[in-house]
Amino acid sequence: MDKGKVYSIDWEKYLQPERLRQSGTHASIEWDSRNQFESDFGRVIFCPAIRRMHDKTQVIPLTSGDTILTRLTHSMQVMSVAESFAHYYTRSESFIRTYGEKAYAYDASISAILRTAALLHDIGNPPFGHFGEITIQNYFKKYLEDHHIIKERQAWDFTQFDGNALGLRIVSMLQYTGTLDGLNLTYPTLGAYLKYPNKGKANGDGYVGEHKHGIFETEEALFDKIVSCCNMKVDDKRIKRHPLSFLVEAADSICYGTMDMEDGYNIQWYTFDNMVETLNKYIYQIAIKNKKVDALKKYLTDAKKPETFSIEKLIGFNRKWKDGTEKDKRRLILDFRVALIGYLTKLAIDNFENNLEAIDKGEYSNELLKDDDLDVFGALSDFAQRKIIARRDIQELELTGNSVINGLLDILMSYAFSEDKKFRKKIKAVISKSRMEATLHENFNKEVRFKTFNEEDLWNFDIEQLDNYSKLRLIVDFVASMTDKYSLELYQKFAGLKM
């Protein structure tokens, strides 16, 4: 791409600072010089759902080690990379030349949106991560096949359960303080968060934003407002991603791709040489398969042998200090990770700029890191599957998670659909008060903006008053919002394994 030119996307169409409800708090503080998107960040970082992420591990669940990534530390790292993307893009000479005086306002807005959306990106992940998602999906595929109690559209929210969809529900409603507005974030921040702006069934062969079912029925009205405000509608049938969501996705991929590898190395699951050799072999084989051998040429240790491709040469990594002495093991993995993040960051921002016109038109249907002749991110993903995810201890913990989530759902479902009122009543003692209040407000008092419930309201409420979809919604909201350890402890109590 000619760095002297930037595709002149109309950022005004994507950055309108509108909310579901215009809050008086931010505007009423005269000395508060933050823009609306910077206000969003404050709302998010102080919310309880963010705090709970410290007890959700990234890859290795239920670990007692204090150096292993949690969802919170991972999200902070994603936030850092995403903010770097903003600065690389909006502080370049070409961007400033293209947008003139508006460039500085765009820099502040885009930076704040990316920072907040990145911090949010995993907020809807259930216990035990992506395997927890699969467990919930499989549970309801079987249950709803045997019990036809809700409509097909409603069933997708459970049989195709996705943490991204739950995340939108958490920030827009389940952070409940007497109103159904949740954190009341701006539409552009929510648009950048939405990885899968798709109300329909997952379509793995379709547009990148349709690869998963990303919107629950309960958030459809909000989603329509986000789409309208953020210029995300292509035509009557097609919805495109917000352009900034591509950068949030890339920042997430960079962080889990590099940090999971570093975690495994620090646990001593493999040596540095084994790691590098595995990555080199994958990249070489993919280049041969895709007939991209020419892309290897500058990064060979022997100019005549493509099989001598070196990822170290590609990312500009050196095993020695400038004085020729060898780096120790800790410094090796740290410097390798830094160099790898640098390579992937440049790849992502270059692909973003090169494809911005297609992104703007809703025609770009790829992840930024996958537009790479050498498929470095593919090498990291393959390595993680072979050397980390496939390990016996990881598989055993995932099976534990499967038992925990299935067990909790079995018990809560039996309570919710019991014919005996005494059993139905027990569910109110288990599910948190704020979840129960949010359910009462959403189902019976939706026309009231602010609502206060007293003990009598909760005492007299019978879950039988809810329709079947709302019963399932309440249970899944509760289980999927749990931390790893809390879900295990609660299951052990329910199963009589722990008093």
Side-chain angles (χ1 to χ4, degrees):
M1 179 179 179
D2 180 359
K3 288 294 182 181
K5 297 180 181 178
V6 170
Y7 171 71
S8 186
I9 188 173
D10 186 356
W11 279 110
E12 294 291 336
K13 293 181 178 179
Y14 295 104
L15 302 176
Q16 293 301 311
E18 296 181 21
R19 306 176 188 273
L20 185 64
R21 176 174 58 86
Q22 291 307 309
S23 172
T25 305
H26 170 73
S28 66
I29 303 176
E30 293 180 1
W31 48 261
D32 191 349
S33 60
R34 296 175 300 169
N35 65 39
Q36 292 292 332
F37 307 122
E38 290 165 338
S39 174
D40 280 349
F41 182 75
R43 297 170 188 226
V44 169
I45 204 164
F46 284 99
C47 80
I50 287 292
R51 293 198 292 273
R52 281 196 291 272
M53 290 170 66
H54 86 282
D55 198 18
K56 292 186 178 185
T57 44
Q58 174 69 4
V59 172
I60 308 166
L62 302 174
T63 181
S64 58
D66 59 4
T67 61
I68 301 303
L69 280 178
T70 67
R71 289 284 170 186
L72 181 57
T73 50
H74 165 70
S75 296
M76 292 167 64
Q77 292 165 353
V78 176
M79 181 176 69
S80 175
V81 174
E83 188 170 27
S84 295
F85 285 156
H87 298 332
Y88 288 136
Y89 173 59
T90 61
R91 297 184 183 180
S92 67
E93 291 182 8
S94 55
F95 184 89
I96 294 171
R97 186 166 52 250
T98 299
Y99 292 102
E101 291 183 0
K102 291 183 177 180
Y104 301 101
Y106 289 162
D107 171 52
S109 295
I110 290 172
S111 175
I113 290 170
L114 285 175
R115 188 165 60 241
T116 305
L119 182 59
L120 281 175
H121 83 280
D122 268 351
I123 202 168
N125 270 35
F128 307 99
H130 294 300
F131 194 75
E133 288 179 321
I134 295 170
T135 301
I136 293 171
Q137 292 168 8
N138 289 340
Y139 182 93
F140 285 102
K141 285 176 183 176
K142 178 67 169 65
Y143 184 88
L144 294 176
E145 184 179 305
D146 296 337
H147 305 82
H148 302 286
I149 59 174
I150 56 177
K151 299 175 183 178
E152 182 184 16
R153 163 63 186 92
Q154 295 174 329
W156 298 340
D157 292 357
F158 306 102
T159 61
Q160 299 189 34
F161 172 85
D162 181 63
N164 294 279
L166 180 63
L168 178 63
R169 181 164 169 79
I170 286 173
V171 299
S172 63
M173 203 277 276
L174 295 182
Q175 294 303 282
Y176 184 77
T177 54
T179 173
L180 295 176
D181 300 335
L183 299 181
N184 193 31
L185 302 178
T186 60
Y187 295 140
T189 293
L190 295 175
Y193 163 81
L194 289 176
K195 189 174 181 179
Y196 304 106
N198 176 30
K199 293 190 287 188
K201 292 180 69 175
N203 179 10
D205 297 323
Y207 174 67
V208 65
E210 299 172 352
H211 287 181
K212 292 185 180 181
H213 170 64
I215 307 295
F216 294 149
E217 184 182 72
T218 44
E219 281 65 62
E220 283 193 3
L222 171 64
F223 174 66
D224 290 341
K225 289 183 172 68
I226 296 169
V227 168
S228 176
C229 176
C230 297
N231 188 37
M232 291 167 61
K233 194 170 185 178
V234 178
D235 52 43
D236 290 341
K237 295 182 178 180
R238 293 186 59 229
I239 304 297
K240 65 183 178 184
R241 278 179 169 181
H242 192 291
L244 297 181
S245 70
F246 285 91
L247 293 176
V248 175
E249 176 183 57
D252 178 30
S253 296
I254 287 172
C255 291
Y256 75 70
T258 57
M259 293 306 300
D260 291 352
M261 181 178 65
E262 184 173 337
D263 272 357
Y265 173 84
N266 288 330
I267 299 172
Q268 299 181 351
W269 284 348
Y270 38 80
T271 65
F272 189 83
D273 285 337
N274 176 249
M275 178 185 74
V276 170
E277 288 168 7
T278 304
L279 295 173
N280 286 342
K281 184 177 179 180
Y282 176 93
I283 293 171
Y284 165 70
Q285 290 177 341
I286 291 296
I288 295 295
K289 179 181 177 181
N290 295 336
K291 299 180 181 179
K292 300 288 185 180
V293 180
D294 286 348
L296 300 174
K297 287 183 177 178
K298 291 193 295 183
Y299 313 109
L300 308 180
T301 55
D302 185 329
K304 296 181 179 179
K305 298 179 179 179
E307 65 272 18
T308 63
F309 166 79
S310 168
I311 191 173
E312 296 174 69
K313 195 171 182 180
L314 171 69
I315 65 177
F317 168 75
N318 197 324
R319 297 192 184 204
K320 296 182 178 181
W321 298 105
K322 289 183 179 180
D323 65 2
T325 57
E326 295 284 342
K327 296 175 180 176
D328 65 26
K329 291 182 178 180
R330 288 172 298 176
R331 192 70 197 198
L332 270 180
I333 191 65
L334 188 155
D335 287 356
F336 184 81
R337 183 248 299 164
V338 169
L340 193 53
I341 288 177
Y343 171 86
L344 293 171
T345 296
K346 185 176 186 305
L347 173 69
I349 202 66
D350 283 351
N351 282 337
F352 181 72
E353 292 180 340
N354 287 336
N355 294 286
L356 195 49
E357 182 174 4
I359 289 172
D360 187 26
K361 294 178 179 178
E363 296 171 355
Y364 184 72
S365 188
N366 204 356
E367 293 185 33
L368 297 175
L369 296 184
K370 293 184 178 179
D371 263 354
D372 180 13
D373 286 346
L374 296 179
D375 195 21
V376 173
F377 178 67
L380 296 178
S381 299
D382 181 76
F383 182 86
Q385 288 296 323
R386 293 173 183 270
K387 302 291 185 176
I388 301 173
I389 305 300
R391 286 188 60 87
R392 179 175 179 176
D393 28 9
I394 295 294
Q395 295 299 309
E396 287 177 345
L397 287 169
E398 287 190 341
L399 291 175
T400 297
N402 182 70
S403 298
V404 167
I405 293 174
N406 275 304
L408 288 172
L409 289 173
D410 276 343
I411 293 166
L412 293 170
M413 292 287 284
S414 69
Y415 287 171
F417 289 91
S418 174
E419 294 183 359
D420 189 333
K421 187 175 181 178
K422 292 180 180 178
F423 277 90
R424 294 199 303 270
K425 195 171 183 179
K426 292 183 182 299
I427 202 168
K428 293 189 291 184
V430 175
I431 294 179
S432 65
K433 182 180 178 182
S434 64
R435 284 287 187 272
M436 297 301 300
E437 290 177 334
T439 295
L440 286 171
H441 197 163
E442 185 179 33
N443 284 273
F444 306 113
N445 303 275
K446 204 164 189 176
E447 72 287 351
V448 179
R449 182 165 295 280
F450 301 101
K451 181 69 178 175
T452 300
F453 294 94
N454 55 43
E455 293 297 326
E456 197 71 14
D457 294 323
L458 294 174
W459 178 261
N460 291 329
F461 171 65
D462 184 344
I463 196 171
E464 189 66 18
Q465 297 169 246
L466 297 176
D467 60 43
N468 289 331
Y469 174 81
S470 297
K471 289 180 185 178
L472 300 184
R473 180 79 277 144
L474 174 62
I475 291 169
V476 173
D477 284 349
F478 178 57
V479 172
S481 297
M482 292 180 185
T483 63
D484 298 350
K485 290 179 181 177
Y486 177 71
S487 65
L488 176 62
E489 290 173 0
L490 189 61
Y491 170 65
Q492 289 174 330
K493 288 179 181 179
F494 281 171
L497 302 174
K498 183 178 181 180
M499 299 299 289

